[in-house]
Amino acid sequence: MELTDKLEILADAAKYDASCASSGAPKRSSEGKDGVGATSGMGICHSYTPDGRCVSLLKILLTNFCIYDCQYCVNRRTSNVPRARFSVAEVIKLTVDFYLRNYIDGLFLSSGIIRSADYTMEQLVEVARQLREVHHFRGYIHLKTIPDADPALIALAGKYADRLSVNIELPTEASVDRLAPEKSIHTIKLAMGSIRRKLDEKAEEPKSPRFAPAGQSTQMIVGADSSDDQTILNTAETLYNSYKLKRVYYSAFSPIPQSPDSVPLAPPPMLREHRLYQADFLLRSYGFAASELLPASGGNLALDIDPKLSWALAHREHFPMDLNLADASMIARVPGIGLRNAKRLVELRRLRRIRYVDLTRLRCSMKKIAPFIVTADYSPVNGAATSEMLRRSLADSPQQMNLWTELQAA
């Protein structure tokens, strides 16, 4: 099979893995040194950095052959899809050639399981080793870790990769047992734990050997099983607390050709995935707990309003909030005010009292923020409005996208 044909198959097979972005990678450059490549230290994989640059990765599988039969996976053993396999040399050639052509900033490499977990992990590590030691590649490398692989191989992977990821895929042990019986959530967590221990050792001994400086991440599939958003967020919160993950990624289940009856025939709403990302950001950066975002009885996040607005409507005892008295953590919980603006408002308070015009100058979403704040010269006229009334006025209005607006206008 031609290399271009392999690339077409194995790049397409990798598209379902969302856990390929990066943050926290150290800045490296080959300028004035041997080798090629550089890292920016910003988010990578078809993302935009704060200064507007678009950066990307070569995102491929080493092979889509797999000895496992995970029911949700297009590359499962019983799936009728075209198969291909790269050699180690072919992945290295593609990575270096694409980098020299300025197509990519690094490599995201995953794989189906072939022969055994150890054999597959050895192949992934060998790609990274040769890129670093033979070709002196200084760009970004993200390796997908095979959970059942020998911990010594995982440790070796961290020597060469910027980030490692171990995909948990499903939020409960029961779902893993049902849809991926050849996998074990216990084994997956053991792999995460071994990576965390290595990261902790590096933090305690800065002069110890390099190990995955951009940390580790994981992915959960949304909608492949019956787990609700509360279960997913509780699992994410546990993973963040137990394994110090940089990110949990969420991927809406996509029905695949000739799907087994054990998985849904229709995908979940894409907006559900978006709301989970918003809720995850509140967990990581705003100090929210999963139990605050959803009731103990369980359920899914609202689709018509974002999770922070949903929390504010359910906790009206905190609002309207006097921005001249509240602390920064509570100001950041006001719908329409982010962490940066909360910090700016606290700094402004040291000089003078906050006024309504200050919020407009900070480009806050005034429609969303107005019912929830008090300033030196403003208090909401609808402060006594019920949460249901506010929800109706602030809910996102769904709009049907149209490809031929000009024709309709004519």
Side-chain angles (χ1 to χ4, degrees), residues 286-302:
Y286 283 76
F288 279 86
S291 58
E292 294 182 273
L293 300 176
L294 282 165
S297 57
N300 290 337
L301 296 164

Side-chain angles (χ1 to χ4, degrees), residues 3 7 57-60 92-106 137:
L3 187 58
L7 179 60
L57 298 179
L58 172 60
K59 181 180 176 183
I60 54 174
I92 293 169
K93 174 178 170 55
L94 285 171
T95 304
V96 175
D97 286 353
F98 279 17
Y99 187 89
L100 292 176
R101 288 173 171 80
N102 203 29
Y103 293 163
I104 62 169
D105 294 276
F137 180 69

Side-chain angles (χ1 to χ4, degrees), residues 209-397:
R210 177 186 185 277
F211 186 86
Q216 66 169 319
S217 60
T218 193
Q219 170 178 284
M220 278 191 280
I221 300 173
V222 179
D225 64 347
S226 59
S227 298
D228 59 17
D229 291 349
Q230 185 200 51
T231 302
I232 292 172
L233 289 175
N234 283 340
T235 299
E237 187 174 54
T238 300
L239 293 175
Y240 281 127
N241 293 336
S242 300
Y243 305 105
K244 293 184 178 178
L245 298 188
K246 288 290 186 179
R247 287 288 302 276
V248 175
Y249 291 87
Y250 306 93
S251 177
F253 173 70
S254 178
I256 50 184
Q258 302 173 353
S259 296
D261 294 336
S262 55
V263 294
L265 297 178
M270 287 300 295
L271 191 55
R272 183 183 174 193
E273 177 189 298
H274 177 61
R275 295 302 186 209
L276 281 168
Y277 272 114
Q278 290 178 317
D280 185 271
F281 189 50
L282 296 180
L283 296 182
R284 288 185 292 115
S285 301
Y286 283 76
F288 279 86
S291 58
E292 294 182 273
L293 300 176
L294 282 165
S297 57
N300 290 337
L301 296 164
L303 298 182
D304 60 329
I305 55 175
D306 66 77
K308 188 166 38 161
L309 177 57
S310 179
W311 176 85
L313 292 175
H315 294 81
R316 294 295 299 283
E317 67 273 14
H318 298 295
F319 304 102
M321 185 183 298
D322 191 335
L323 299 184
N324 285 294
L325 299 176
D327 61 34
S329 63
M330 287 304 297
I331 293 175
R333 291 190 171 212
V334 175
I337 298 181
L339 292 171
R340 184 180 300 176
N341 279 341
K343 182 179 179 181
R344 288 171 174 169
L345 289 170
V346 171
E347 291 173 349
L348 178 62
R349 261 184 354 203
R350 296 170 182 168
L351 303 176
R352 58 177 174 78
R353 291 175 62 77
I354 297 170
R355 298 180 175 274
Y356 189 83
V357 70
D358 296 322
L359 299 168
T360 63
R361 288 170 178 164
L362 290 175
R363 298 182 180 179
C364 294
S365 175
M366 300 312 297
K367 177 183 177 182
K368 183 178 289 188
I369 199 176
F372 297 100
I373 60 162
V374 171
T375 66
D377 59 346
Y378 169 81
S379 59
V381 294
N382 57 350
T386 66
S387 293
E388 186 57 36
M389 290 174 59
L390 288 177
R391 179 172 184 152
R392 286 198 299 268
S393 66
L394 296 174
D396 296 334
S397 300

